[in-house]
């Protein structure tokens, strides 16, 4: 549903295959089973295992931001998280960048989503001291996406800690724990809260301003983690939500809210690809008009369901066509409810291309021009190879991280089955479709100094900007806390930082926010 990556595994070093049974020394049948078990144990002893003892590989670097050089220490290592009895449960991989001589400056904890994604996307694309060079919005040619110093790094405002989810990257369960013990809304949030608290204790950062920075499913995680940290005695200064989804409930079949959430993004996409009739010059003003119409006439029409009069349906379809360039007949056949896949293939069907999901500016050449949905997401495939190859080289050559464990871009593999149940603070029973806006609102009411910043791409169809606005408005915060919530918008997609121009604006917006939050 959100940003997911291919579940392929990249190995740093190949492991040797265990001897086959045909090569075994002959053994009497009664002893054969025991012999096999002994051989399996011997082979297993040579396999790479996650470390229980914490590791830390450090290196030095410098990056220039806004004309000022920043000397920093990079630490690639593992944090061992433990249960309440002190038993090790997982080894969590992280990469931290701390300004040399920075003292008690802010520290930000950053993570991607999935769920089950490693954090190399944020790590290698956004605010670290180096980033993969991407163009906008095009497929990155093999070998073209090299690493260069990042003039938009946030090291000028905060230390940075990028954390991989358990089962992804080099994060792994320990002992008798398996991935299933961590693959769920609440299980995952608990693991991240423990990892953050361990880092803060290990490096004595209790006196530093602390910020969570989640992307995609990582925003839903941030809501839950913020509440857990508050309950466990760690109050945050702020939470940054990049490409937000806090509420999965409205995406269930039979609910009309998701059609409303998607529509302003459809209009933005049609505007970008010049399919809006009488296209206005000002995108922001255009989308303000679309939002007002969606929350008024469109919402009222959908609420009537099959009781909607034909004349009113025709009028709504006409306006939808005016905002998107889709035909009125197509819209009416869909009962005014346009699915994302249908929109992606229909908007530019005459050109035999489909629009992207993570970023609707990207285009996919389709094999079947009559398809009702695209078979891939060009906004994902365009950059995956460049990011993975750049990170693998950087981790070894620059960070100096050494391990024989395979690096996993995603935890999504055989046996991955996410537990979507969630128990929010103060609610009886568990939610079956998580809504951590409840958790975030609880945390803000408990800690009235915590501020929340929503970062939104106009062309993000995976987590549409209008959905973030809906989630924030339905936190039902009192007026004195609403001022702690702010929004910024960019002409980019889900991964706003892929757009170099948007990244520059993103840095400046965040810099101003950090100056206010981390005083």
């Amino acid at each position: 549903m959100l940003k997911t990556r291919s579940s392929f595994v990249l190995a740093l070093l190949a492991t040797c295959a265990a001897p086959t049974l045909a090569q075994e020394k002959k053994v009497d049948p009664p002893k054969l089973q025991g012999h096999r078990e002994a051989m399996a144990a011997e082979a297993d002893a040579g396999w790479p295992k996650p470390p229980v003892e914490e590791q830390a590989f450090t290196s030095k670097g410098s990056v220039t931001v806004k004309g000022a050089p920043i000397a920093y220490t990079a630490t690639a290592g593992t944090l061992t998280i433990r249960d309440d009895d002190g038993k090790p449960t997982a080894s969590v991989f992280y990469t931290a960048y701390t300004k040399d001589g920075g003292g008690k400056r802010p520290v930000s904890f950053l993570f991607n989503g999935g769920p089950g994604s490693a954090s190399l996307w944020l790590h290698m694309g956004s605010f670290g001291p180096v980033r993969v060079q991407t163009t906008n919005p095009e497929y990155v040619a093999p070998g073209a996406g090299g690493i260069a110093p990042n003039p938009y790094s946030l090291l000028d405002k905060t230390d940075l800690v990028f954390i991989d989810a358990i089962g992804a990257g080099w994060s792994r369960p320990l002992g008798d724990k398996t991935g299933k013990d961590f693959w769920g809304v609440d299980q995952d949030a608990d693991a991240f809260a423990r990892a953050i608290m361990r880092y803060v204790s290990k490096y004595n950062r209790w006196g530093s301003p602390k910020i969570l920075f989640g992307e995609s499913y990582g925003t839903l995680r941030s809501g839950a983690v913020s509440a857990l940290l508050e309950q466990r005695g760690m109050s945050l200064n702020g939470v940054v939500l990049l490409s937000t989804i806090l509420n999965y409930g409205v995406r269930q079949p039979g609910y009309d809210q998701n059609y409303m959430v998607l529509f302003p993004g459809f209009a933005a996409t049609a505007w970008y690809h010049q399919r809006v009739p009488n296209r206005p010059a000002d995108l922001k003003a255009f989308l303000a008009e679309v939002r007002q119409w969606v929350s008024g006439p469109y919402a009222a029409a959908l609420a009537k369901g099959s009781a909607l009069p034909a004349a009113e349906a025709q009028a709504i379809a006409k306006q939808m066509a005016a905002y998107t360039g889709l035909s009125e007949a197509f819209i009416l056949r869909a009962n005014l409810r346009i699915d994302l896949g249908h929109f992606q293939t229909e908007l530019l069907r005459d050109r035999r291309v489909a629009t992207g999901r993570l970023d609707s500016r990207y285009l996919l050449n389709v094999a079947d021009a009559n398809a009702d949905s695209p078979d891939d997401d060009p906004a994902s495939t365009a950059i995956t190879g460049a990011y993975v190859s750049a990170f693998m080289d950087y981790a070894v050559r620059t960070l100096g991280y050494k391990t024989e464990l395979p690096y996993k871009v995603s935890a999504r593999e055989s046996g991955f089955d996410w537990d979507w149940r969630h128990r929010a603070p103060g609610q009886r029973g568990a939610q079956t479709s998580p809504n951590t806006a409840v958790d975030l609102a609880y945390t803000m009411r408990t800690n009235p100094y915590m501020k929340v910043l929503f970062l939104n791409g106009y062309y993000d169809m995976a987590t549409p900007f209008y959905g973030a606005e809906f989630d924030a408005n339905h936190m039902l915060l009192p007026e004195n806390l609403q001022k702690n919530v702010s929004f910024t918008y960019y002409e980019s997609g889900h991964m706003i930082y892929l757009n170099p121009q948007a990244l520059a604006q993103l840095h400046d917006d965040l810099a101003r926010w950090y100056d206010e939050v981390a005083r």
Side-chain angles (χ1 to χ4, degrees), residues 393-405:
D393 184 73
Y394 175 71
V396 175
R397 292 179 182 270
T398 302
L399 298 178
Y401 190 71
K402 299 177 181 178
T403 180
E404 293 187 3
L405 281 176

Side-chain angles (χ1 to χ4, degrees), residues 1-18:
M1 294 176 69
L2 299 186
K3 178 167 61 180
T4 58
R5 307 291 175 184
S6 301
S7 60
F8 59 85
V9 175
L10 297 172
L12 285 180
L13 296 174
T15 57
C16 295

